[in-house]
Amino acid sequence: MFDLRQIQVFLAVWKTRSFTKAAKEIHLTQPTVSGHIKALEDALGIQLFDRSGRKAVPTKAGEAFYPHARQIMRLFDKARRTMDTFCGGDSGELEVGGSNIPGQYILPLLIGRFKEGRPNCRIVLRIDDTSGIVSQVEHGELELGMVGGVVKRNTLHFEPCLEDRLLLVMPPGHRLAGKVDVSVEEILEEPFVAREVGSGSRMAAERALRDIGIEGFQGLNVVAEMGSTEAVRQAVKAGVGLAFISERAVKEDMEHGLLASATLEEMTLERSFYLVWHAKRSLSPLAEAFRDFVMEGEAVPPCNPPSGE
Amino acid sequence: MFDLRQIQVFLAVWKTRSFTKAAKEIHLTQPTVSGHIKALEDALGIQLFDRSGRKAVPTKAGEAFYPHARQIMRLFDKARRTMDTFCGGDSGELEVGGSNIPGQYILPLLIGRFKEGRPNCRIVLRIDDTSGIVSQVEHGELELGMVGGVVKRNTLHFEPCLEDRLLLVMPPGHRLAGKVDVSVEEILEEPFVAREVGSGSRMAAERALRDIGIEGFQGLNVVAEMGSTEAVRQAVKAGVGLAFISERAVKEDMEHGLLASATLEEMTLERSFYLVWHAKRSLSPLAEAFRDFVMEGEAVPPCNPPSGE
DNA sequence: TAAAAATACTCCATAGGTATTTTAT
DNA sequence: ATAAAATACCTATGGAGTATTTTTA
């Protein structure tokens, strides 16, 4: 089993045409060089150099071996370089997934920030519902996911990473627009637009409603159900009804006065987003860097700075 | 300095997805495989496999390393195969040289015989005068040469390999044609065609003439000097005069009755051809095979079987 | 005679083994 | 409970050194 050292020694002798000079060049002693060349010649079953006089002259076989030796060296270097780029966490390819809100409103921003200063990495964002993202992470198709809820699996690790808040949103001219302590009674008769059953947003809202004694959306006047956050947003703007929407999805609309919100008394609309990764598999350095970047939390500051501060 | 063994182990683990199975496949023990993978991971600075449960699963880095590992393996195999072809002496390239007679009348035949059963080798024949061939062998441009004389050089090794004989040739109708014991006097008045001064054939003939008391060609009636054996042969056939020509050059003509010969009493017209090679450089296996083939002597039997037998 | 490679030897790192423990299904 | 990998430990090969001899220009 001949190894790289022999190749390296061979190339040095080739270059210097001398065992002694080759030894100096690669910081070995002359007898060691002799040994390596002999070992290589034995392994190949043929003499590579004639060491008659002052010079070590390559034989025909040595000449034939030279291009191979060069190529092997180059290939090893290339392999090492390729692996080096993996170590830094600044290059390579990373596939992350996000459920609706994270996938559409949070991750694009995070990825953009992350890639500043890391131009050599490629990040693929896949958007699916929470269960889809989770199962892809479980099967190793995605290294990281960001979702709105925790799914109990002992192969997966969930870690809360960002806080989100549902807002009660309505068109700007609505009678509740801007009110701070809307009571439960005030919304009972309002028409509502909701996300479909099973979505993370729907579940988060129902949990919050149950906290204040309402039987989820069944206790509300739901006039429409929509399959995406975007659709709900458009419906509210069109005056179809009120809705609970992630603050991150309506930030822009609020700033431009295209939507208004109100605050419900005693209702906790906070929810968390979680990073998921496979507990048993190691993350690539790039994935690790991205995870740390997200966990730092400085990239995406809370959307609505706590008004009570 | 990571070596081939690690690559081999990596590929086995990759293939089997298991340290234990990989160990079986390449006839090592599982701890040894563990050790190699760990060493490789340390050398590359990154983990290559996740060994969580039953299976060893490649990490992203492992996946990135795989094609390199494959290529390195392939390259080593290719190098080894290339060198193997050198060992057998049945393939590769060989450059031999021959002075006039060997180059034109002997080596082509020898090369043809040698190549029977060795279709994978390529042999280049270069023809030059003796001194040219010798200097090319001395400088390593030719591995072997066949010449008609020995040049004293301590870097060269000469070895007689074939016997040749000069024949006194003449047109078929000549008065001396076929005579067995032509006396010296009988040729003194004959017109002669000779090779140019300095050629091996000329020297061989002059030496023989001196043996019987003639001052070389100066003692003969030389009516023409020719620069090649072929030219001399044509001249004799055209009736210009008699000549001393290598038996190997006129074999065919004699057989077809296009030329005749006579035997001179007391004149030794034997000469030797020699193989030359560099004494300090090793011959390629192919060259060695060719040298042995020629030295065996069975490929080219003596041209005129000794008539006295 | 001087320069280069080969040889002889010593030392130690490590590849490879066996036996055992840890871990995860 | 079982299968797989890690760990601990031992041995022997061989890589690297120093000192010396052999070879050749």
Side-chain angles (χ1 to χ4, degrees), chain B residues 249-288:
Chain B
V250 295
K251 187 166 178 252
E252 260 190 323
D253 282 341
M254 306 273 295
E255 281 166 5
H256 292 82
L258 301 173
L259 277 178
S261 72
T263 307
L264 272 165
E265 58 184 3
E266 296 177 10
M267 191 170 176
T268 351
L269 287 164
E270 258 87 43
R271 67 184 293 206
S272 287
F273 291 120
Y274 300 84
L275 271 184
V276 207
W277 61 87
H278 202 288
K280 307 304 170 58
R281 299 207 180 130
S282 62
L283 291 177
S284 72
L286 185 60
E288 214 162 325

Side-chain angles (χ1 to χ4, degrees), chain A residues 6 83 95 131 144 210 222:
Chain A
Q6 294 169 355
M83 301 316 287
E95 289 180 288
S131 71
L144 284 173
R210 253 186 282 275
V222 175

Side-chain angles (χ1 to χ4, degrees), chain B residues 38-89:
Chain B
K38 186 195 276 281
L40 185 57
E41 288 175 337
D42 286 350
L44 294 173
I46 192 160
Q47 198 176 332
L48 296 170
F49 291 99
D50 281 315
R51 28 302 218 186
S52 55
R54 302 262 158 185
K55 290 212 302 189
V57 181
T59 61
K60 295 274 168 189
E63 274 170 37
F65 188 65
Y66 175 70
H68 294 281
R70 278 298 299 275
Q71 214 183 336
I72 287 169
M73 260 305 179
R74 266 200 295 270
L75 204 49
F76 264 94
D77 279 351
K78 189 165 143 242
R80 183 152 26 200
R81 270 200 308 278
T82 303
M83 301 316 286
D84 281 351
T85 67
F86 260 84
C87 297

Side-chain angles (χ1 to χ4, degrees), chain A residues 70-82:
Chain A
R70 279 298 299 274
Q71 213 182 337
I72 286 168
M73 261 305 180
R74 265 200 295 271
L75 205 48
F76 263 94
D77 280 351
K78 189 165 143 242
R80 185 153 23 201
R81 271 200 307 279
T82 302

Side-chain angles (χ1 to χ4, degrees), chain B residues 100-157:
Chain B
N100 288 282
I101 302 293
Q104 288 176 41
Y105 302 105
I106 302 175
L107 284 171
L109 187 70
L110 282 169
I111 290 170
R113 294 272 167 78
F114 183 73
K115 269 188 68 73
E116 287 168 15
R118 290 181 182 84
N120 295 324
C121 66
R122 212 171 79 84
I123 301 187
V124 175
L125 170 62
R126 219 174 293 166
I127 299 175
D128 199 347
D129 58 30
T130 295
S131 70
I133 294 301
V134 165
S135 90
Q136 285 177 61
V137 170
E138 202 174 6
H139 294 94
E141 295 154 35
L142 294 171
E143 284 202 87
L144 284 173
M146 188 186 287
V147 293
V150 173
V151 178
K152 262 269 166 289
R153 292 276 166 65
N154 54 3
T155 57
L156 294 177
H157 185 94

Side-chain angles (χ1 to χ4, degrees), chain A residues 74-226:
Chain A
R74 265 200 295 271
L75 205 48
F76 263 94
D77 280 351
K78 189 165 143 242
R80 185 153 23 201
R81 271 200 307 279
T82 302
M83 301 316 287
D84 283 350
T85 67
F86 258 84
C87 298
D90 284 355
S91 54
E93 182 170 320
L94 168 63
E95 289 180 288
V96 299
S99 60
N100 288 282
I101 301 293
Q104 289 177 40
Y105 302 105
I106 302 175
L107 284 171
L109 187 70
L110 283 168
I111 290 170
R113 293 272 166 77
F114 183 72
K115 269 187 69 73
E116 287 170 14
R118 288 181 183 83
N120 295 324
C121 67
R122 212 172 77 85
I123 301 187
V124 175
L125 170 61
R126 219 174 292 166
I127 298 175
D128 199 346
D129 58 30
T130 295
S131 71
I133 294 301
V134 165
S135 90
Q136 285 176 62
V137 170
E138 202 174 6
H139 294 94
E141 295 153 34
L142 294 172
E143 284 203 87
L144 284 173
M146 187 186 289
V147 293
V150 174
V151 179
K152 261 271 167 291
R153 292 275 166 66
N154 55 3
T155 57
L156 294 178
H157 186 93
F158 284 83
E159 188 96 8
C161 62
L162 282 173
E163 296 304 308
D164 188 33
R165 195 185 320 170
L166 293 176
L167 297 182
L168 176 61
V169 298
M170 59 211 65
H174 195 274
R175 66 176 179 93
L176 294 178
K179 282 194 73 175
V180 178
D181 273 326
V182 176
S183 66
V184 175
E185 289 75 28
E186 278 180 295
I187 65 166
L188 282 177
E189 295 307 314
E190 288 290 334
F192 263 85
V193 181
R195 282 290 303 280
E196 81 282 9
V197 175
S199 73
S201 301
R202 169 86 174 226
M203 290 191 286
E206 292 203 315
R207 186 164 29 75
L209 287 168
R210 253 186 282 275
D211 283 347
I212 57 169
I214 300 178
E215 276 292 305
F217 281 100
Q218 287 158 14
L220 294 179
N221 175 26
V222 175
V223 298
E225 281 193 9
M226 304 278 165

Side-chain angles (χ1 to χ4, degrees), chain B residues 5 29 31-32 36 52 54:
Chain B
R5 205 60 200 264
T29 58
T32 307
H36 278 297
S52 55
R54 302 262 158 185

